[in-house]
Amino acid sequence: MGEMVSTTTIAPSFLASDFTQLGREAARVDRSGADWLHLDIMDGHFVPNISFGPEVVRVIRPLTAMTFDVHLMCLRPEILLEPFVRAGADRLTIHVELGEQVMPLIWKIHSLGKKVGLALNPGTAMSCVEPFLKKIDLLLIMTVNPGFGGQSFIRETLPKIQQAFAWRRDLGLSFHIEVDGGINFETAAECARAGADVFVSGTGLFGQPSLTRAVQKMRRLVLANGRDLSISAPPMEFKETLL
Ligand code: DX5
Ligand code: ZN
């Protein structure tokens, strides 16, 4: 909280990278002109899949200065917060479905000096996140059911983005509105029109022949479709990098 939302943020999801080449992939995202690296942490309990842990985050940390946006799809995030902070996380997002754990987790993340995100699944009502809006730096609206990359965007989530945008404006808050799941060029533009400002994309970006060009194209599209251009930064120039 505090600063105005002033940028459009493109956050490639590392889950879609080539896991045989993690270091090379982190360096490739770094060169692509993307803003944040989105790191999906799955524990096999909160979601039916396991991804990677703090050690992977630690080894790629020296390869880039990008913001590490850690998305904890985990049943017991309290045991993981410190390890991920030590590993180099800049932002930590927990899920509102954890119920009474949510408020203590928000305090804990703040006490560790990190930005707090709160995520909600497609089936979870917006009323569940409403009590926390003043305490968070980012609201993550899941646009697929979490657990796997490469799923199709769930269109029914679009009104939630509009609701978040309206709440943020009406309450004078500045949390980011992040979308995650099935985000490609087309759905990113739709989410931008609805009011999103952080765009997580895995297969939508890594599936393109050039990550750099894909990031540029997504940025151009969301800037052109953004709901409130006064809070969007002008398009930035990026050096073309051969991949
Ligand atoms: C879904 C994860 C996403 C995932 C998105 O459980 O939270 O971040 O990596 O992947 P795509 O963009 O391929 O849907
Ligand atoms: Zn994610």
Side-chain angles (χ1 to χ4, degrees):
M1 287 193 297
E3 91 271 40
M4 279 301 292
V5 176
S6 59
T7 52
T8 287
T9 300
I10 308 294
S13 173
F14 206 49
L15 194 65
S17 70
D18 177 354
F19 276 22
T20 68
Q21 308 278 340
L22 292 178
R24 223 177 267 191
E25 290 288 75
R28 189 160 76 100
V29 181
D30 182 73
R31 289 194 309 269
S32 73
D35 306 285
W36 296 357
L37 183 61
H38 185 80
L39 296 155
D40 285 306
I41 313 304
M42 303 175 178
D43 68 347
H45 295 279
F46 186 79
V47 288
N49 195 8
I50 295 177
S51 57
F52 50 84
E55 184 60 13
V56 167
V57 176
R58 190 186 69 79
V59 300
I60 63 168
R61 182 66 280 188
L63 304 174
T64 171
M66 263 183 305
T67 292
F68 276 9
D69 180 35
V70 174
H71 176 193
L72 295 168
M73 286 160 275
C74 303
L75 208 52
R76 294 188 59 208
E78 70 278 8
I79 60 170
L80 295 167
L81 297 178
E82 274 153 324
F84 276 107
V85 167
R86 277 198 301 274
D90 298 296
R91 319 185 60 100
L92 291 158
T93 294
I94 52 151
H95 268 261
V96 76
E97 291 81 12
L98 298 174
E100 60 189 20
Q101 291 185 61
V102 170
M103 202 59 232
L105 287 165
I106 291 175
W107 288 330
K108 180 74 183 169
I109 296 168
H110 274 145
S111 78
L112 292 167
K114 300 299 166 190
K115 302 279 189 191
V116 179
L118 187 61
L120 84 165
N121 288 341
T124 302
M126 283 293 275
S127 57
C128 297
V129 298
E130 199 177 1
F132 305 105
L133 295 178
K134 292 185 177 155
K135 311 263 185 258
I136 60 176
D137 304 292
L138 175 149
L139 181 66
L140 169 49
I141 298 175
M142 289 304 302
T143 45
V144 299
N145 286 303
F148 301 90
Q151 304 180 75
S152 299
F153 180 78
I154 298 173
R155 316 191 57 76
E156 289 74 14
T157 58
L158 284 166
K160 287 182 169 178
I161 303 167
Q162 294 170 333
Q163 173 75 83
F165 187 90
W167 276 343
R168 185 176 69 188
R169 182 194 55 209
D170 296 347
L171 297 168
L173 298 173
S174 57
F175 56 84
H176 289 284
I177 300 172
E178 181 176 56
V179 286
D180 181 9
I183 300 297
N184 53 34
F185 298 129
E186 189 189 340
T187 56
E190 280 185 85
C191 291
R193 279 197 288 279
D197 57 88
V198 182
F199 302 84
V200 175
S201 177
T203 45
L205 291 175
F206 281 91
Q208 299 295 317
S210 158
L211 188 64
T212 301
R213 285 177 196 281
V215 168
Q216 282 176 342
K217 181 172 175 183
M218 190 170 284
R219 191 187 301 280
R220 219 179 294 125
L221 280 165
V222 300
L223 283 169
N225 284 279
R227 249 182 84 169
D228 183 352
L229 292 174
S230 68
I231 64 163
S232 296
M236 292 165 71
E237 297 268 342
F238 288 108
K239 199 172 54 177
E240 285 289 325
T241 312
L242 286 174
L243 297 176

